[in-house]
Amino acid sequence: MNDILPLQTPLWQYLEQNTRAVLSSYGYSEIRTPIVEQTELFCRSIGEVTDIVEKEMYTFEDRNGESLTLRPEGTASCVRACEEHGLIFNQVQRLWYAGPMFRYERPQKGRYRQFHQIGVETFGMADPDIDTELLLLTARLWKVLGISHAVALQLNTIGSSAARAVYRTKLVDYLTAHQDQLDEDSRRRLTTNPLRILDSKNPQVQDLLNGAPDFHACLDQESLEHFEQLKANLDAAGIAYEVNPRLVRGLDYYGRTVFEWVTDRLGAQGTVCAGGRYDGLVEQLGGRPTPAVGFAMGVERLILLLEAEASLPEYVKRETDVFVAALGAEASAAAMRLSEELRDKTTLRITLDCSGGNIKSKMKKADRSGARVALLLGDNELKRQVVALKPLRSQSEQQEVPLDQVARALLTGTEYFEE
């Protein structure tokens, strides 16, 4: 688990603000759920033989002896909350959430034991149009963030539960005959969750899978038609994608559409957004049958991608826009009034120097602050009702500005705040 420090949070806020704006433009509403749930919720939804439930959950007993778990993902909590508060039956919902998740995994770059996700869940819509909308939404977000060139969409359909059961039998028969070519992890999954072997990163296992039975040959007609319509929708919208027949996702509740947005710019941690359909999960958790589809984005991985690939606005890289410094008691009081006035009249970030020191030390602080402009006010300037405006990041000369014209000067001085 790690801290997110003040120099890092502007980029997090930039990502969160842009994501919130895009989701709002599509009519999605925010839901906030607890980070602790009853352990049974995740066992029933994710699947008891998944890696998450078997090895990765932070589970403990509370003082009443109940088993509680820090949420390892957000979908189950969202479904539980919607069902508990009557938000699903005979209704359409478009929801999103953001916050920390917890898994006991080997920490590495872009993967922590407390990590953050932004998730989207939709309920009550069975047609592939809503699958398409989620992919259009994410494509729009990548464009807004400036990382479209660094991500690619992979798609698959894993059909109905009945179709998966048929394929599972064929796959197990094939792999059992070649057990000596499987790694330890794949041999374990062979008896617990064999479809996850399709997602193995071991090159030897992938070579073996080239001779495995064809997954799509076992799929039901309804799922295939759903998938064909989704692809047609994406083609019409101009969204590029690759069909990856070995894409299965790691959670048991998925069926039909599954997808991942992947990148080759982050090493092993290549998936930045993933999701799919889970039409059976609401019923599995005690509700009425409800079509549903959603996804989750890994915030830490997106932050790494933004740092590496995006042309970030200049304001993301600095903590403040204007540094206000004064010398003398009367000037200090006037500088405080000026700072408040600027906050009233502009959206600029104003830092008022509240420490002592001479003008030289104040200018050092102004430079270290990252501000584009310093406003300097002494008793002499106060008598003449002016402020010294000193550009810190351009070649423009220092100038004197009337006290009542400072906001106007900052807003019209484009060379100070060009992004």
Side-chain angles (χ1 to χ4, degrees):
M1 301 183 187
N2 68 314
D3 299 306
I4 302 162
L5 302 177
L7 286 175
Q8 301 167 309
T9 51
L11 184 52
W12 283 67
Q13 292 165 353
Y14 172 75
L15 171 61
E16 292 160 356
Q17 289 162 3
N18 279 286
T19 303
R20 185 178 291 109
V22 170
L23 288 165
S24 178
S25 75
Y26 281 80
Y28 285 69
S29 302
E30 184 182 6
I31 186 170
R32 302 188 183 191
T33 62
I35 63 171
V36 177
E37 299 273 5
Q38 292 183 329
T39 302
E40 182 188 14
L41 173 68
F42 300 116
C43 292
R44 290 172 62 193
S45 61
I46 297 172
E48 295 201 31
V49 294
T50 58
D51 286 350
I52 294 174
V53 171
E54 285 185 330
K55 300 186 295 185
E56 297 172 1
M57 294 202 313
Y58 281 92
T59 298
F60 59 95
E61 283 192 1
D62 69 3
R63 294 185 179 185
N64 291 325
E66 287 190 71
S67 181
L68 302 179
T69 295
L70 295 174
R71 62 186 183 196
E73 58 94 40
T75 301
S77 295
C78 186
V79 171
R80 190 271 312 150
C82 289
E83 187 61 26
E84 185 175 318
H85 298 285
L87 301 181
I88 293 182
F89 182 58
N90 279 341
Q91 299 176 67
V92 167
Q93 294 287 355
R94 288 176 165 90
L95 303 173
W96 71 272
Y97 51 83
M101 310 292 166
F102 304 83
R103 296 184 194 175
Y104 190 88
E105 297 183 280
R106 182 171 62 85
Q108 52 188 290
K109 189 175 183 180
R111 174 188 285 177
Y112 303 100
R113 289 174 177 172
Q114 175 180 307
F115 59 100
H116 296 77
Q117 286 186 341
I118 298 172
V120 171
E121 316 292 353
T122 68
F123 302 99
M125 295 167 277
D127 290 343
D129 289 356
I130 188 61
D131 306 38
T132 310
E133 179 177 280
L134 292 184
L135 296 171
L136 291 174
L137 185 159
T138 46
R140 181 177 296 275
L141 179 60
W142 311 146
K143 182 178 179 181
V144 168
L145 295 174
I147 57 173
S148 296
H149 66 284
V151 295
L153 175 61
Q154 294 190 353
L155 280 182
N156 195 22
T157 178
I158 55 175
S160 65
S161 56
R164 289 194 300 279
V166 170
Y167 182 72
R168 173 186 171 127
T169 300
K170 293 185 177 183
L171 182 64
V172 169
D173 288 344
Y174 171 77
L175 293 176
T176 299
H178 299 85
Q179 277 199 66
D180 58 324
Q181 299 178 50
L182 296 177
D183 57 25
E184 182 180 347
D185 194 43
S186 296
R187 282 195 292 271
R188 179 180 59 82
R189 286 174 168 168
L190 189 58
T191 56
T192 59
N193 197 350
L195 291 186
R196 286 304 315 280
I197 300 175
L198 296 176
D199 202 30
S200 170
K201 301 299 185 288
N202 185 320
Q204 182 177 334
V205 174
Q206 282 296 319
D207 287 343
L208 175 62
L209 289 169
N210 288 331
D214 180 10
F215 196 168
H216 282 202
C218 298
L219 294 179
D220 54 294
Q221 189 61 32
E222 192 174 351
S223 294
L224 288 171
E225 290 174 0
H226 185 102
F227 192 52
E228 289 303 315
Q229 185 58 55
L230 170 60
K231 292 192 293 181
N233 290 348
L234 293 175
D235 290 339
I239 302 297
Y241 60 87
E242 173 193 357
V243 175
N244 178 358
R246 295 182 185 173
L247 178 60
V248 292
R249 302 297 301 136
L251 307 176
D252 278 2
Y253 52 66
Y254 283 116
R256 288 196 180 178
T257 304
V258 290
F259 62 86
E260 291 185 358
W261 286 95
V262 299
T263 181
D264 59 3
R265 317 296 171 96
L266 298 179
Q269 302 306 313
T271 302
V272 297
C273 173
R277 275 208 164 264
Y278 50 95
D279 292 342
L281 182 58
V282 175
E283 184 178 15
Q284 186 179 324
L285 294 179
R288 291 184 171 93
T290 304
V293 58
F295 65 80
M297 298 183 286
V299 175
E300 281 84 355
R301 296 181 189 179
L302 283 172
I303 292 294
L304 289 173
L305 198 57
L306 284 171
E307 290 175 328
E309 298 294 332
S311 298
L312 296 170
E314 187 62 36
Y315 72 84
V316 174
K317 304 173 187 177
R318 62 178 185 262
E319 297 177 76
T320 190
D321 297 309
V322 179
F323 190 90
V324 183
L327 286 172
E330 289 187 26
S332 293
M336 188 168 290
R337 291 194 299 272
L338 173 62
S339 298
E340 289 301 302
E341 179 188 336
L342 294 177
R343 295 183 183 109
D344 288 338
K345 294 181 177 179
T346 78
T347 59
L348 298 172
R349 289 167 293 183
I350 314 296
T351 295
L352 175 64
D353 178 38
C354 294
S355 59
N358 57 28
I359 189 64
K360 185 176 180 181
S361 69
K362 289 179 182 293
M363 289 309 301
K364 285 182 178 179
K365 293 171 193 170
D367 189 57
R368 286 198 299 267
S369 75
R372 305 301 296 270
V373 169
L375 299 178
L376 310 174
L377 184 61
D379 290 338
N380 182 44
E381 285 81 11
L382 187 57
K383 286 179 184 177
R384 295 185 289 118
Q385 289 293 290
V386 296
V387 174
L389 187 156
K390 182 174 180 57
L392 299 174
R393 309 284 176 246
S394 73
Q395 300 301 314
S396 301
E397 295 292 325
Q398 179 173 316
Q399 58 179 301
E400 288 190 345
V401 178
L403 260 176
D404 60 358
Q405 296 293 316
V406 175
R408 178 182 177 85
L410 291 174
L411 293 174
T412 58
T414 56
E415 71 271 22
Y416 309 140
F417 300 107
E418 281 183 338
E419 300 301 357

